């Protein structure tokens, strides 16, 4: 909500949902997600507790953050959704 002004906005951890909701509809992308942590539902992340602590530290430091999705990001999302998935 705060970033988009939409109180109903939420982050989705399923690839197609992230692409549709976050990148294409809200026009934002998540930047700084580590390559060694798969972008998926938290329950499926290996070493979940350690990974979540790391993600929180990255978020708190600002390294993991949202940026506006460019027109090119949105085009890429439509052509090959995997290109815009964090990580």
């Amino acid at each position: 909500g705060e970033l988009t002004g939409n109180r109903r906005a939420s982050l989705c951890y399923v690839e197609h949902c992230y692409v549709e909701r976050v990148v294409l509809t809200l026009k934002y992308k998540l930047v700084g997600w580590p390559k060694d942590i798969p972008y998926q539902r938290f329950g499926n992340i290996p070493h979940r507790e350690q990974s979540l602590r790391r993600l929180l530290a990255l978020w708190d430091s600002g390294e993991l953050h949202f940026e506006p999705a460019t027109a090119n990001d949105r085009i890429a999302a439509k052509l090959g959704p995997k290109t815009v998935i964090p990580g």
Side-chain angles (χ1 to χ4, degrees):
E2 283 182 42
L3 189 63
T4 64
N6 179 345
R7 290 183 14 202
R8 300 173 107 191
S10 63
L11 185 57
C12 184
Y13 296 95
V14 178
E15 290 181 3
H16 72 276
C17 180
Y18 170 81
V19 170
E20 288 295 322
R21 267 195 219 166
V22 180
V23 179
L24 297 176
T25 302
L26 298 173
K27 299 180 179 154
Y28 277 89
K29 63 182 179 179
L30 189 56
V31 176
W33 190 280
K35 297 225 180 275
D36 61 324
I37 299 176
Y39 187 81
Q40 58 189 2
R41 294 174 193 215
F42 284 137
N44 297 336
I45 293 177
H47 312 289
R48 182 179 15 193
E49 190 174 320
Q50 178 184 351
S51 295
L52 291 175
R53 275 197 222 117
R54 186 166 161 220
L55 289 169
L56 183 58
L58 290 168
W59 181 261
D60 287 343
S61 74
E63 191 172 334
L64 178 61
H65 61 277
F66 284 98
E67 289 181 359
T70 65
N72 285 341
D73 291 327
R74 295 191 308 275
I75 290 168
K78 290 177 186 175
L79 296 175
K82 294 263 186 208
T83 63
V84 295
I85 298 300

